[in-house]
Amino acid sequence: MSFGNKMYVSALVFCIVISVARCSGNLGFPPGFKLGVATASYQVEGAWNVSDKGESIWDRLLHTQPSLSADGSNGDVACDSYHLWRRDIEMAVELGVDMYRFSISWPRLLPSGFANYVSEDGKRYYNNLIDGLLEKGIEPVVTLYHWDLPQYLQDLGGWANPLIVDWFADYARVAYTLFGDRIKTWLTLNEPLIICDGGYNKLWAPYLDDLKVAAFLCNKNVMMAHAKAYRMYDEEFRPLYQGKVSFPNIFFWFEPETPADAEAAVLTRQMWHDRYAHPVFSQAGGWPPELEKVLLANGKREGYPYPRLPPFTQEEINYVKGTYDFYALNHYTTRLVRRVKPGEAGSWIFYGSEEINVAIVNDPSWTTAVTDWFAINPTGLRKQLHWINSTYGISDILITENGLPTFEKDLLDVNRITYIRSYLEQILLAINDGINVMGYTAWSLMDNFEWLAGYTVKYGLYDVDFTSPNRTRTPRESARYFSNLTKTRTLTDDNIYYLRNVTKNTKALKTLAIMEC
């Protein structure tokens, strides 16, 4: 298919989506709904050894094994946001966003990993970013941990060492103390599933191979670390600053491939999502009972004398339960689930599917992006929001990540516009259903270092020229679309007008002017 034809198909899909939206009810954002963008420290900051910054697990991994990233690259410079933070704020202003989610680099603020020494330069950098955003009327939303653990703490066992609960709490206390007067929304640990199942399955730093034991030790420790950081804020800092705390949970929506696979889909949701949600959000607390039973039986069959998923004591259950002020959701895609067939080898991806004997597959009717794991199914998000609300009785949900990966540098990224618009439509439909979704955060503000994909995969509303010493940022059409969205606060006719303006300047989309949607 030629480029022109691809763009025609994308434009046609977009027009169909908008036409349906015109008849689908109220698609204006409600009062108070926030639109934002997000980044993470290792992916954008660079300056990996500037001043007294400590070494992170990603620094160590990609300096010692550079071939692990798809293009042999690393985050040593990345977007150079450590030096170009003013431009980052300028882009947020251009987009007109209400909030900018970024993460603090633990080893930049605490070079040793411990609270015995706070970096003045690290503190200055984050103060500059926070104050600069607030001066422009943009709310800073801060993630304490987005995967760049100090390497020294990893040498001491990292997330498999239960002492990390205290180490993380000490770090959180420093951050709350330094920045809590201005930060009203805190996120503790980004995607615990990736921290544990990715980090101990040779897919993310620290790139270890121990899904049987260490990954499950990590499961419990991240839950306890989150709870301790939450309890500390609740008791000591909330009376002073009245902020809110949660953690972003990645949750692909899973549907059964056939009605007979309903139980498999439930168990898959428990493996992916409820390991981290059930201890915090459920009325009972603790691990999901069905999953805990399955994992215990697996361990016994394999000869382990103790549960591989460490049990919570009743005191720990009560300590972790209820440690949230809202639900933070990172959502990207939907998958189908079925039981593994006799003789079938393996399954899609790595997050424990072999433990629960399921295969995770695509619906052939869904379009995929970049790789086969990224299926585009916007209605899955609406179903997921309902499921979260009904399962846990959550009153407030914030979408903390959602976005489309591409391989192309194209500035005319109609597919990304289509993706954002269609997922936002499902959010607004869920709001009309009575689900209180507080806001939407696009991933990402700009192209950045996408972990082991290096710079080959692009999520940015802004293109970044990684060959330029200035890391030049250029708005894509999706940035212009998002800017229009933040002005109009609706998905209906004014955005159709925007798209028509695109067609006037883009030969590849000239057909849209004829179609008139």
Side-chain angles (χ1 to χ4, degrees), residues 266-323:
V266 169
L267 201 56
T268 304
R269 291 177 202 141
Q270 290 190 1
M271 191 69 181
W272 268 68
H273 170 262
D274 287 2
R275 264 189 295 165
Y276 306 102
H278 197 273
V280 173
F281 297 102
S282 71
Q283 291 292 321
W287 303 120
E290 298 89 344
L291 180 65
E292 189 172 22
K293 183 177 179 180
V294 168
L295 294 177
L296 180 63
N298 290 352
K300 286 182 176 179
R301 187 171 58 252
E302 294 160 356
Y304 288 92
Y306 43 77
R308 290 188 286 118
L309 180 65
F312 287 108
T313 66
Q314 188 59 51
E315 182 181 10
E316 290 170 335
I317 288 173
N318 294 336
Y319 188 73
V320 176
K321 185 172 60 175
T323 54

Side-chain angles (χ1 to χ4, degrees), residues 234-254:
D234 192 47
E235 294 165 10
E236 301 177 34
F237 294 90
R238 194 190 307 275
L240 297 173
Y241 305 128
Q242 294 79 50
K244 294 183 178 182
V245 181
S246 190
F247 71 96
N249 205 359
I250 189 171
F251 186 8
F252 292 6
W253 177 240
F254 293 104

Side-chain angles (χ1 to χ4, degrees), residues 79-135:
C79 304
D80 201 20
S81 287
Y82 183 79
H83 297 107
L84 301 174
W85 57 270
R86 292 179 181 84
R87 174 60 179 141
D88 293 352
I89 294 172
E90 186 179 62
M91 292 190 295
V93 171
E94 291 168 1
L95 292 172
V97 295
D98 304 300
M99 57 185 175
Y100 175 40
R101 177 192 168 202
F102 64 91
S103 72
I104 294 173
S105 168
W106 188 341
R108 190 177 302 284
L109 190 61
L110 302 181
S112 70
F114 294 105
N116 63 309
Y117 172 70
V118 179
S119 168
E120 287 299 317
D121 286 342
K123 181 170 67 173
R124 184 179 303 110
Y125 168 64
Y126 294 114
N127 273 326
N128 284 338
L129 182 56
I130 291 166
D131 291 343
L133 289 166
L134 289 171
E135 286 172 6

Side-chain angles (χ1 to χ4, degrees), residues 1-31:
M1 182 182 290
S2 70
F3 174 79
N5 287 338
K6 286 181 180 178
M7 299 308 295
Y8 175 86
V9 171
S10 297
L12 177 60
V13 170
F14 194 41
C15 277
I16 291 172
V17 169
I18 290 177
S19 297
V20 170
R22 285 172 136 173
C23 303
S24 59
N26 179 20
L27 289 183
F29 297 106

